[in-house]
Amino acid sequence: MKLLIANPNTSEAITARIAAVARAVVSPGTEIVTATARTGVPYIVTRAEAAIAACALLEMMAAHGHDCDAAVVAAFGDPGLEAARELMPVPVVGLAEASMVTACLLGRRFSLVSFAQAFVPWYRDSVERLGLIARLASIRCLDGGFNPVAGADEAGEAALAELCRRCGTEDGADVVVLAGAPLAGLAARIGARTGVRVLDGVAAATRQAEALAGLPLGRPAARAANGAAAKPVTGVSPALEAMFHAAAG
Amino acid sequence: MKLLIANPNTSEAITARIAAVARAVVSPGTEIVTATARTGVPYIVTRAEAAIAACALLEMMAAHGHDCDAAVVAAFGDPGLEAARELMPVPVVGLAEASMVTACLLGRRFSLVSFAQAFVPWYRDSVERLGLIARLASIRCLDGGFNPVAGADEAGEAALAELCRRCGTEDGADVVVLAGAPLAGLAARIGARTGVRVLDGVAAATRQAEALAGLPLGRPAARAANGAAAKPVTGVSPALEAMFHAAAG
Amino acid sequence: MKLLIANPNTSEAITARIAAVARAVVSPGTEIVTATARTGVPYIVTRAEAAIAACALLEMMAAHGHDCDAAVVAAFGDPGLEAARELMPVPVVGLAEASMVTACLLGRRFSLVSFAQAFVPWYRDSVERLGLIARLASIRCLDGGFNPVAGADEAGEAALAELCRRCGTEDGADVVVLAGAPLAGLAARIGARTGVRVLDGVAAATRQAEALAGLPLGRPAARAANGAAAKPVTGVSPALEAMFHAAAG
Amino acid sequence: MKLLIANPNTSEAITARIAAVARAVVSPGTEIVTATARTGVPYIVTRAEAAIAACALLEMMAAHGHDCDAAVVAAFGDPGLEAARELMPVPVVGLAEASMVTACLLGRRFSLVSFAQAFVPWYRDSVERLGLIARLASIRCLDGGFNPVAGADEAGEAALAELCRRCGTEDGADVVVLAGAPLAGLAARIGARTGVRVLDGVAAATRQAEALAGLPLGRPAARAANGAAAKPVTGVSPALEAMFHAAAG
Amino acid sequence: MKLLIANPNTSEAITARIAAVARAVVSPGTEIVTATARTGVPYIVTRAEAAIAACALLEMMAAHGHDCDAAVVAAFGDPGLEAARELMPVPVVGLAEASMVTACLLGRRFSLVSFAQAFVPWYRDSVERLGLIARLASIRCLDGGFNPVAGADEAGEAALAELCRRCGTEDGADVVVLAGAPLAGLAARIGARTGVRVLDGVAAATRQAEALAGLPLGRPAARAANGAAAKPVTGVSPALEAMFHAAAG
Amino acid sequence: MKLLIANPNTSEAITARIAAVARAVVSPGTEIVTATARTGVPYIVTRAEAAIAACALLEMMAAHGHDCDAAVVAAFGDPGLEAARELMPVPVVGLAEASMVTACLLGRRFSLVSFAQAFVPWYRDSVERLGLIARLASIRCLDGGFNPVAGADEAGEAALAELCRRCGTEDGADVVVLAGAPLAGLAARIGARTGVRVLDGVAAATRQAEALAGLPLGRPAARAANGAAAKPVTGVSPALEAMFHAAAG
């Protein structure tokens, strides 16, 4: 089995951290391949940045997705996820959607913890869009001081652990999701510091992609609903234009 | 007052129809400027196409938005709307959001009528996202046979009118929105054929943009919430990268 | 174009403040006519008072609405709005509904700020009824000390500005609506004090009424759905009984 | 125990039918007193009529409610219910609210059946407002041919029974509420014709009023939240103005 | 009229307190019979305990329900309520469902107050399931120190009263429900201490059961929807197996 | 890795079919152990039957769950799932919850198809409880003629395939879940007959259990929130009573 982990951020350092987490959780025999966005920003914080990242994500799917069994959109706002699902013949999951549904199977309410206040309204919208607002306990984010490319230092881990602890004791969360590719790999240490169950978003999405890839699913669902005739697509790579045409049937 | 009508489709013919409708409904003294997407597809039908269009929309905002008082995203799925709101210092409205809130001020329930079955789940998601699902009577779309670039012929108008009629009599709609830039300009004729109140999405969005532009709003709201430091933005025009940096503050 | 601004409060001083705000925001050539409730209370705070005001509102529509192009119910609970929509052949908007949908076009979440604690549950119900609860950041109201007929003095403005500031910084609001006719005219000054975008409910509703009046809408929607045969209506003015009969007809 | 059944319709014939149903279901020793609206229409079908009826309802409460233990607003749209709750020191229930919560205690989903198509959107709004939309199976109404003042003849009963039957077999309703004062007294005969459980809205509301009147409730809740200072109330009876002042006080 | 009050807790002391409250609120001539769970725990706090209690509840219905006119599930999580409704030919209400709908008829928002933090997520789920989340002001529970079998001492009453007071003043509740059989009988004293309207869950459910038993309901609703053929039921009493078979028709 | 598949039905034949499907989809090295309910009914159709099954499920967890890495509640209504989560130190998933979240990762809307009309309201409630009602396209069930113990014959498969086909073409489902343990193993054949993506509920739940078992989750979440002191538990096996005491901490 082969999984594509596509990082919509342009930072290779983040890709490396994601890949390490993914490789640690997959079953024996599952291969992880990675891609990093060629256009966009080092780490996505705003929706405008996510809009640019969505195009980069589709280009990564066209360039690297042809022989994978499932793919992961490795940024928590899931930029381009629905578009990729329309175009790809195999399952595609996003960090946000996959880790939130995983959290739902582990408890009644979950919290999201991340590293920038700008995520709060955006992640709340993601929860609403998924239809899981009734199961959200809280969203808590650091107020500055975190370098997403470098990752968490000791002070950052302590601050994140404190947020997780409050999600459990003050907000009633059964599970806390560490939300954001730059936080990949911290869940075990932070969970050990806090006594609350902490879920690594990258690990959860990877396991979900692997779970889906192992199901006998028959033909792709979204493509069936597409129904659009092939049209010229300007300003994208030939590989991506070909994916558009293939999906249009 | 100057309004930018940005067409995220690459078809100039659609831009021309939109511009004519917009110019017909604005108050005396309001100027309409238009832009057409440089990348993407002639007419957007899928979310993958909308993802490409969102990037094109941001480029249009960067290229043409600098001295306008408000802007309209002239495609019904509102591609790039939230991203544009983060970047633009003036109000930005989208066809879907603006025409649905206009419909809410005219009656308790509204229907959406458009020209392709592929829109049904997408537009339903748009209504949910806006929070107005309780006010949606129905979504009815043609099942093929409509050329969005050429626009409606007599048979197309008759078929759309029949859908509108059924929204009123069978689905309980107080107002029907003609959803999609390619349908611009048809509302009056179709309304006259059916006896139900039919709202032109382009006219509604233009009037909303004009209404917002005339309000004393002070500083832009979304920019205040942005909070992201300036970062390199790869693969976009210098003008768009400059907008990202300006919004980051 | 002629807009009727109907104040369901019996206070002429409030009508004068509303009219000044409305006249300041309309396009050149738009005429504002006003009416003040003949029955009810000087300023509405409870739902029982709003029930009385709804009847007064219908009487104002009957007395003054015959040649206007749109009408505004100028009290934030929108007393009588749905009833007036059934009876009037032109668009009718209310302060609450119109300013909340305007706020939705300006940002993802809005707050309401007003002058009496009794409004909190009522306004929350209004947001729910409109279907926009997911977009409400908060409702904050003064705890006494505000004279709605006299309007805000310096201390009142400072207190309202502090509430607005907290909506932005603590509650995550992108836009704050000053909710209530007695607050008309304060938005610009309060916005300047706080750094958050503050929307004048009266200005927003007036612009919305003007926007709707400029749309080609064809026949009235709500009347079409009425369907009731003409019946004697006891205890109302002959003009209002005539409106009932016309709408039924 | 004494219950006031206040009919917001002006038709005495409807009051008589309501009173008969109420007297048949109360416990021994419970007294029923009735009132009929002095202003408004013989039978309410539209929201504009309900707005007028709400004022009439408050006047009935002021004139007849002083020594009752609970009161019933005997029209299905519950005109004036929330206003009456603010003013009355004893529990007040409405036909719609009380019969829908009763239905919820008898099964998972309920349907509403009534006599005029104009009720469909209105009653749906009532269900939404109560928060019970997830428990609504359907709303089915006759399409003309029913005289609400005279009541149902054999053909009317058969037509209503057919609607009830379809609510059970096609819509999945566990319980059907006969919605509207003019339908009082038909539930037993219609239930016997259809095999589905049919609930008389007037009987349910009367039993609910009696249930509430028998609970030790202490001080009135709504009055506590009122908080408005006494103000002049123009255009109402002295008794109603006194109620406003008492509630404010 | 005869009402069965079935206590799914195994504690006879709690049954005795419940019975006293129930007997105090019913109409003259209504007889109360009680049953206490033979299996399970002295007082239910978790969902696992409630799962065991649901089976015990069905056994109590089979053993004691044959000639009652309605039954009450006397634990606030309503264990086994829906199952009992399928099997019983008469109305069955639960403490949670019945007291929450009663609260809805008394004000716009209600709070729940109980004696263990473990109830907070569970009771919140109950409110959501009933569809009444929009009417919930808050849930406040004691943090230890309460013996449910012994009942509240003076310190416990004071602590519960303080929670009720805060529901009214801080959370905007119009009514507070004392949630849980072990709290039966405290509402009057606690209401008198706090100035907020406090509803006894046991009293409310008993009045609701009595109200339903007095309605002419015809055939049982839930049984009609059952549709399952009789099957062997292993591990239950012969009386309960007979109820299963009778319900299956 | 070892997964416990616990069948809350008493039919061994159903257990055998479930086990075959589970073994076919797990990764190499994952062991499947099964258990069959000792009390209850051969196949669960009603909520009363599910209440009995929940107790049987807890007994199976106590008897067989001690050394598994995750467990599956193998009946679609998920009887006892939340109770089992409180008691078990490893992840527990149910057929309904796990297959619905899996479906959400594969498309925007899903349908449920099963074999008895009695499931329709129950399964709808399950979707609501999970918070995914906005993503439900439809629920379609056979109207008799299916023997759940024997499983589907050719006519049954054809009838189920026809329901699946209509979910895709008429209801807009992207994915159809075959809902119910007796349908285990049919998805591939039915999917091939219909052209719509069909998901086997048992396969999906098994893959989800395996995915969760492979995540580093630290301490159990639900137990942390339990907080109840150990109490005597009457009428259960010593093993189950011990689980209650262990979870209570």
Side-chain angles (χ1 to χ4, degrees):
Chain A
M1 187 181 294
K2 186 152 101 174
L3 306 180
L4 170 62
I5 313 280
N7 177 14
N9 302 287
T10 62
S11 166
E12 298 279 359
I14 293 174
T15 308
R17 287 213 298 283
I18 294 168
V21 169
R23 289 191 177 107
V25 297
V26 290
S27 299
T30 296
E31 180 190 357
I32 299 291
V33 294
T34 65
T36 305
R38 301 289 295 275
T39 58
V41 295
Y43 50 95
I44 302 160
V45 178
T46 70
R47 295 183 210 219
E49 292 163 2
I52 302 297
C55 293
L57 186 276
L58 295 184
E59 291 288 1
M60 285 189 278
M61 293 288 149
H64 305 284
H66 51 90
D67 64 348
C68 64
D69 297 293
V72 175
V73 180
F76 202 78
D78 297 349
L81 173 60
E82 293 193 318
R85 267 198 198 130
E86 285 182 348
L87 298 181
M88 289 283 283
V90 297
V92 187
V93 302
L95 252 58
E97 207 177 90
S99 58
M100 286 193 271
V101 305
T102 302
C104 285
L105 297 179
L106 291 167
R108 184 66 194 164
R109 281 174 207 282
F110 63 86
S111 287
L112 304 178
V113 162
S114 195
F115 60 83
Q117 288 292 322
F119 291 135
V120 176
W122 184 10
Y123 287 2
R124 185 177 168 87
D125 290 353
S126 296
V127 183
E128 287 174 355
R129 180 160 172 68
L130 195 52
L132 294 174
I133 200 72
R135 301 185 72 172
L136 178 72
S138 59
I139 303 175
R140 289 182 181 266
C141 291
L142 295 179
D143 194 7
F146 183 91
N147 181 329
V149 175
D153 54 15
E154 164 57 27
E157 281 195 28
L160 289 164
E162 171 62 13
L163 293 185
C164 291
R165 191 191 61 75
R166 294 172 63 186
C167 292
T169 56
E170 297 178 21
D171 308 332
D174 298 311
V175 192
V176 179
V177 178
L178 284 185
L183 303 179
L186 301 178
R189 285 202 303 278
I190 287 181
R193 286 171 98 126
T194 59
V196 71
R197 197 172 244 183
V198 178
L199 190 60
D200 186 304
V202 172
T206 303
R207 287 297 281 174
Q208 287 290 351
E210 197 181 24
L212 297 181
L215 285 172
L217 289 172
R219 65 199 306 272
R223 290 157 71 96
N226 187 328
K231 291 171 287 193
V233 188
T234 313
V236 303
S237 71
L240 180 51
E241 186 172 26
M243 281 189 73
F244 271 94
H245 292 173
Chain B
M1 187 182 295
K2 185 152 102 176
L3 306 181
L4 170 62
I5 313 280
N7 177 15
N9 303 287
T10 61
S11 165
E12 298 278 0
I14 293 175
T15 308
R17 288 214 298 282
I18 294 167
V21 169
R23 288 192 176 106
V25 296
V26 291
S27 299
T30 295
E31 180 189 358
I32 299 291
V33 296
T34 65
T36 304
R38 300 290 294 273
T39 58
V41 294
Y43 51 94
I44 302 161
V45 177
T46 71
R47 296 184 211 219
E49 291 163 0
I52 303 297
C55 294
L57 187 274
L58 295 184
E59 292 287 1
M60 285 188 277
M61 293 288 150
H64 304 286
H66 52 89
D67 64 348
C68 66
D69 297 293
V72 175
V73 180
F76 202 78
D78 296 350
L81 174 61
E82 292 194 318
R85 266 197 199 131
E86 285 182 349
L87 298 180
M88 290 283 283
V90 297
V92 186
V93 302
L95 251 57
E97 205 175 273
S99 59
M100 287 192 270
V101 305
T102 303
C104 284
L105 298 179
L106 291 168
R108 184 65 194 166
R109 282 176 205 280
F110 63 87
S111 288
L112 304 178
V113 163
S114 195
F115 59 85
Q117 288 292 322
F119 291 134
V120 176
W122 184 11
Y123 287 2
R124 185 176 168 89
D125 290 353
S126 296
V127 182
E128 287 174 353
R129 182 161 171 68
L130 195 51
L132 294 175
I133 200 72
R135 302 186 71 173
L136 178 71
S138 60
I139 303 175
R140 291 182 180 266
C141 292
L142 295 179
D143 195 5
F146 183 90
N147 181 328
V149 176
D153 55 14
E154 165 56 27
E157 281 195 26
L160 289 164
E162 171 61 13
L163 293 184
C164 292
R165 191 192 60 76
R166 293 173 63 185
C167 292
T169 56
E170 298 178 21
D171 307 333
D174 297 311
V175 192
V176 179
V177 177
L178 284 185
L183 303 179
L186 301 179
R189 284 202 303 276
I190 287 180
R193 287 171 96 126
T194 60
V196 71
R197 196 172 243 183
V198 178
L199 190 60
D200 186 303
V202 172
T206 305
R207 288 297 280 176
Q208 287 289 351
E210 195 180 25
L212 297 180
L215 285 171
L217 290 172
R219 66 198 305 271
R223 290 157 72 97
N226 187 328
K231 291 173 287 194
V233 187
T234 313
V236 303
S237 70
L240 180 50
E241 185 172 26
M243 279 188 75
F244 270 94
H245 292 173
Chain C
M1 187 182 294
K2 185 152 101 175
L3 306 180
L4 170 62
I5 313 281
N7 177 15
N9 302 287
T10 60
S11 164
E12 298 278 1
I14 293 175
T15 307
R17 288 213 298 283
I18 295 168
V21 168
R23 288 191 177 108
V25 296
V26 290
S27 299
T30 296
E31 179 190 359
I32 299 291
V33 296
T34 64
T36 304
R38 301 288 296 274
T39 58
V41 295
Y43 52 95
I44 302 161
V45 177
T46 70
R47 295 183 211 219
E49 292 163 1
I52 302 296
C55 293
L57 186 275
L58 295 185
E59 292 287 2
M60 286 188 277
M61 293 287 150
H64 304 286
H66 52 90
D67 65 348
C68 66
D69 297 293
V72 175
V73 180
F76 202 78
D78 296 349
L81 173 61
E82 292 194 318
R85 270 201 195 126
E86 285 183 347
L87 299 180
M88 289 283 282
V90 296
V92 186
V93 302
L95 251 58
E97 206 177 271
S99 59
M100 286 193 270
V101 304
T102 303
C104 284
L105 297 179
L106 291 167
R108 185 65 194 165
R109 282 176 205 282
F110 63 87
S111 288
L112 304 178
V113 163
S114 195
F115 60 84
Q117 288 293 321
F119 290 135
V120 176
W122 184 12
Y123 287 2
R124 186 175 168 88
D125 290 353
S126 296
V127 182
E128 286 174 354
R129 180 161 171 69
L130 195 52
L132 294 174
I133 199 74
R135 301 185 74 173
L136 179 71
S138 59
I139 303 175
R140 290 183 180 266
C141 292
L142 296 179
D143 195 6
F146 183 90
N147 180 328
V149 175
D153 54 14
E154 165 57 27
E157 282 194 28
L160 289 164
E162 172 60 13
L163 293 185
C164 291
R165 190 191 62 75
R166 293 173 63 187
C167 292
T169 58
E170 298 179 19
D171 307 333
D174 297 312
V175 192
V176 179
V177 177
L178 285 185
L183 303 179
L186 301 179
R189 284 202 302 277
I190 287 180
R193 287 170 97 127
T194 60
V196 71
R197 198 172 242 183
V198 178
L199 190 60
D200 186 303
V202 171
T206 304
R207 287 297 281 175
Q208 287 290 351
E210 196 181 23
L212 297 181
L215 285 171
L217 289 172
R219 65 199 305 272
R223 291 157 72 96
N226 187 328
K231 290 171 288 195
V233 187
T234 315
V236 303
S237 70
L240 181 50
E241 186 171 26
M243 279 188 77
F244 270 94
H245 291 173
Chain D
M1 187 182 296
K2 184 152 104 176
L3 306 180
L4 170 62
I5 313 280
N7 178 15
N9 302 287
T10 60
S11 164
E12 298 278 2
I14 293 175
T15 307
R17 288 213 297 283
I18 294 168
V21 169
R23 289 193 176 106
V25 295
V26 290
S27 298
T30 296
E31 178 189 359
I32 299 291
V33 296
T34 64
T36 304
R38 301 288 296 272
T39 58
V41 295
Y43 52 95
I44 301 162
V45 178
T46 70
R47 295 183 210 221
E49 292 163 1
I52 302 296
C55 294
L57 186 276
L58 295 185
E59 292 288 1
M60 285 188 277
M61 293 288 150
H64 304 286
H66 52 89
D67 63 349
C68 66
D69 297 294
V72 175
V73 180
F76 201 78
D78 296 348
L81 173 61
E82 293 194 318
R85 269 200 196 127
E86 285 182 348
L87 299 180
M88 290 283 283
V90 296
V92 186
V93 301
L95 250 58
E97 207 177 270
S99 58
M100 286 193 271
V101 305
T102 302
C104 284
L105 297 179
L106 291 168
R108 185 64 194 167
R109 281 176 206 282
F110 64 86
S111 287
L112 304 178
V113 163
S114 194
F115 60 85
Q117 288 293 321
F119 290 134
V120 176
W122 185 11
Y123 287 2
R124 185 175 169 89
D125 290 352
S126 296
V127 182
E128 287 175 353
R129 181 163 171 68
L130 194 52
L132 294 175
I133 199 73
R135 301 184 75 172
L136 178 71
S138 60
I139 304 175
R140 290 183 181 264
C141 292
L142 295 179
D143 195 6
F146 183 90
N147 181 329
V149 175
D153 54 14
E154 165 56 28
E157 281 195 27
L160 289 165
E162 171 62 11
L163 293 185
C164 291
R165 191 192 61 75
R166 293 173 65 186
C167 292
T169 57
E170 298 179 20
D171 307 334
D174 298 311
V175 191
V176 179
V177 177
L178 284 186
L183 303 179
L186 300 179
R189 284 202 303 275
I190 287 180
R193 287 170 98 125
T194 60
V196 71
R197 197 172 242 183
V198 177
L199 190 60
D200 186 303
V202 171
T206 304
R207 287 297 280 176
Q208 287 289 352
E210 195 181 24
L212 297 180
L215 285 172
L217 289 172
R219 67 198 304 271
R223 291 156 73 95
N226 187 329
K231 290 171 288 194
V233 187
T234 314
V236 303
S237 70
L240 180 50
E241 187 172 26
M243 279 188 77
F244 271 94
H245 292 173
Chain E
M1 187 181 296
K2 184 152 101 176
L3 305 180
L4 170 62
I5 313 280
N7 177 15
N9 302 288
T10 60
S11 165
E12 298 278 2
I14 294 174
T15 308
R17 288 214 298 283
I18 294 167
V21 169
R23 288 192 176 107
V25 296
V26 289
S27 298
T30 295
E31 179 189 358
I32 298 291
V33 295
T34 65
T36 305
R38 301 290 295 274
T39 58
V41 294
Y43 51 95
I44 302 161
V45 177
T46 70
R47 294 181 211 222
E49 292 163 1
I52 302 298
C55 294
L57 187 274
L58 295 185
E59 291 288 2
M60 285 189 277
M61 293 287 149
H64 304 286
H66 52 90
D67 64 347
C68 66
D69 297 294
V72 175
V73 180
F76 201 77
D78 296 349
L81 173 61
E82 292 193 320
R85 270 201 195 126
E86 285 181 349
L87 299 180
M88 290 284 283
V90 297
V92 186
V93 302
L95 251 58
E97 206 176 271
S99 59
M100 287 193 271
V101 304
T102 303
C104 284
L105 298 179
L106 291 167
R108 185 66 194 165
R109 282 176 203 280
F110 63 87
S111 287
L112 304 178
V113 163
S114 195
F115 60 85
Q117 288 293 321
F119 291 135
V120 176
W122 184 11
Y123 287 2
R124 185 177 168 87
D125 290 352
S126 296
V127 182
E128 287 175 354
R129 182 161 170 68
L130 195 51
L132 294 175
I133 200 72
R135 303 185 72 170
L136 178 71
S138 60
I139 303 175
R140 290 182 180 265
C141 292
L142 295 179
D143 194 5
F146 183 91
N147 182 328
V149 176
D153 55 13
E154 164 57 26
E157 280 195 28
L160 290 164
E162 171 61 12
L163 293 185
C164 291
R165 191 192 61 75
R166 293 172 64 186
C167 292
T169 57
E170 298 178 21
D171 307 333
D174 298 311
V175 191
V176 179
V177 177
L178 284 185
L183 304 179
L186 301 179
R189 285 203 302 278
I190 287 180
R193 286 170 98 126
T194 60
V196 72
R197 195 172 244 183
V198 178
L199 190 60
D200 186 303
V202 172
T206 304
R207 288 296 281 174
Q208 287 289 352
E210 195 180 25
L212 297 181
L215 284 172
L217 289 173
R219 66 198 305 271
R223 291 156 72 96
N226 188 330
K231 290 171 288 194
V233 188
T234 314
V236 303
S237 70
L240 180 50
E241 186 173 27
M243 280 189 76
F244 270 94
H245 291 173
Chain F
M1 186 182 296
K2 184 151 102 175
L3 306 180
L4 170 62
I5 313 279
N7 178 14
N9 302 288
T10 61
S11 165
E12 299 278 0
I14 294 175
T15 308
R17 288 213 299 283
I18 295 168
V21 169
R23 289 191 177 108
V25 296
V26 290
S27 299
T30 295
E31 180 189 357
I32 299 291
V33 295
T34 64
T36 305
R38 301 288 295 273
T39 57
V41 295
Y43 51 95
I44 302 161
V45 177
T46 70
R47 296 184 211 219
E49 292 164 0
I52 302 297
C55 293
L57 186 276
L58 295 185
E59 291 288 0
M60 285 188 276
M61 293 287 149
H64 305 284
H66 52 89
D67 64 348
C68 65
D69 297 294
V72 175
V73 180
F76 202 78
D78 297 349
L81 174 60
E82 293 194 317
R85 270 200 195 127
E86 284 183 347
L87 298 181
M88 289 284 282
V90 296
V92 186
V93 302
L95 251 57
E97 205 175 272
S99 59
M100 287 193 270
V101 305
T102 303
C104 284
L105 297 179
L106 291 167
R108 185 66 194 166
R109 281 175 207 282
F110 63 87
S111 286
L112 304 178
V113 163
S114 195
F115 60 84
Q117 288 294 321
F119 291 135
V120 176
W122 185 12
Y123 287 3
R124 186 176 168 87
D125 290 353
S126 296
V127 183
E128 286 174 354
R129 180 159 172 69
L130 196 51
L132 294 174
I133 200 72
R135 301 185 74 171
L136 178 71
S138 60
I139 303 174
R140 289 184 181 264
C141 291
L142 295 180
D143 195 6
F146 183 91
N147 181 328
V149 175
D153 54 14
E154 164 57 28
E157 280 195 28
L160 289 163
E162 171 62 11
L163 293 185
C164 291
R165 191 191 61 76
R166 294 172 63 186
C167 292
T169 57
E170 297 178 21
D171 307 334
D174 298 311
V175 192
V176 179
V177 177
L178 284 185
L183 303 179
L186 301 179
R189 285 203 302 277
I190 287 180
R193 287 170 96 126
T194 59
V196 72
R197 196 172 242 181
V198 178
L199 191 60
D200 186 302
V202 172
T206 304
R207 288 296 281 175
Q208 287 290 352
E210 195 181 25
L212 298 180
L215 285 172
L217 289 172
R219 65 199 305 272
R223 291 157 71 95
N226 187 329
K231 290 172 288 195
V233 187
T234 314
V236 302
S237 70
L240 181 51
E241 186 172 27
M243 280 188 74
F244 271 95
H245 291 172

